């Protein structure tokens, strides 16, 4: 699936990335040259086509989960999807992806303290059948998260930027 976006779509998405609750009237006024109704239509099309989703993003540190860690997991061949699925069911897991290279699964977890993180890695992940090895890295701060990713301008290189 390759959905065609124009520069106006990008501007709408960029504004919603900053404030997902921004009214269509404010978006139209900020962009200029587009009506509130057209903005509402475009937002609905972007949602319906799966280009964007509008959702709340929780800050784990604000609610008592100051420890964030990336865990890289080596898994027995043929068990990667099964292990990834099991890990994704834990409430303290914020991200699970299958990867290539030295590690098979990449996981991000949140915890109340280092002891809770240690127990989760050793007593929970370490005991899942198929897990061979884990490498844990504490994440003291995140510079850029996926919730702040923007469509690169290079996507529009072969288009008229104002089309």
């Amino acid at each position: 699936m390759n959905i065609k976006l124009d520069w106006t779509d990008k501007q709408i998405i960029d504004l919603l990335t900053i404030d997902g609750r921004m009214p269509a009237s404010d978006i139209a006024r900020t962009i200029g040259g587009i009506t509130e109704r057209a903005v509402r239509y475009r937002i609905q099309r972007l949602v319906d086509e799966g280009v964007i989703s509008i959702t709340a993003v929780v800050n784990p540190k604000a609610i008592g989960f100051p420890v964030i860690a990336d865990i890289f997991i080596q898994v027995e061949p043929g068990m990667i999807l099964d292990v990834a699925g099991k890990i994704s069911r834990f409430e303290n897991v914020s991200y699970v992806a299958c990867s290539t290279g030295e590690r098979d699964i990449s996981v991000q977890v949140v915890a109340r303290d280092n002891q809770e993180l240690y127990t989760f890695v050793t007593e929970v992940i370490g005991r899942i059948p198929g897990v061979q090895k884990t490498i844990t890295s504490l994440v003291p701060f995140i510079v850029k998260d996926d919730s702040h990713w923007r469509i690169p301008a290079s996507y529009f290189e072969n288009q008229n930027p104002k089309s």
Side-chain angles (χ1 to χ4, degrees):
M1 176 188 283
N2 192 5
I3 297 166
K4 189 85 166 162
L5 303 177
D6 64 19
W7 194 255
T8 301
D9 292 326
K10 178 183 177 12
Q11 291 176 299
I12 291 169
I13 293 167
D14 285 351
L15 289 169
L16 289 172
T17 300
I18 295 166
D19 180 0
R21 299 183 319 157
M22 182 179 281
S25 59
D26 290 356
I27 294 172
R29 191 171 26 263
T30 301
I31 293 173
I34 187 170
T35 66
E36 176 184 351
R37 181 177 178 177
V39 169
R40 280 196 313 269
Y41 169 79
R42 283 176 178 256
I43 291 170
Q44 191 59 55
R45 178 181 54 83
L46 292 166
V47 169
D48 291 346
E49 292 178 348
V51 175
I52 65 170
S53 61
I54 299 172
T55 184
V57 178
V58 178
N59 176 356
K61 292 180 180 184
I63 59 169
F65 293 87
V67 177
I68 300 173
D70 290 334
I71 304 166
F72 304 98
I73 305 167
Q74 185 175 335
V75 180
E76 290 178 28
M79 297 188 72
I80 295 170
L81 290 177
D82 183 52
V83 171
K86 287 177 182 170
I87 292 170
S88 71
R89 293 185 192 105
F90 292 100
E91 291 182 340
N92 62 327
V93 172
S94 61
Y95 172 87
V96 178
C98 297
S99 53
T100 59
E102 286 188 46
R103 303 296 169 246
D104 302 306
I105 301 172
S106 175
V107 176
Q108 189 169 82
V109 301
V110 298
R112 289 181 183 89
D113 54 42
N114 287 336
Q115 182 60 49
E116 184 177 87
L117 171 65
Y118 178 80
T119 300
F120 182 73
V121 173
T122 58
E123 302 298 319
V124 178
I125 291 180
R127 292 187 178 177
I128 295 174
V131 170
Q132 294 178 323
K133 181 179 179 180
T134 64
I135 296 175
T136 303
S137 296
L138 288 175
V139 178
F141 60 92
I142 296 172
V143 177
K144 181 179 181 180
D145 205 348
D146 64 337
S147 64
H148 295 98
W149 184 80
R150 307 274 176 90
I151 298 170
S154 62
Y155 172 88
F156 301 97
E157 284 179 351
N158 296 328
Q159 299 180 34
N160 179 350
K162 296 294 180 184
S163 65

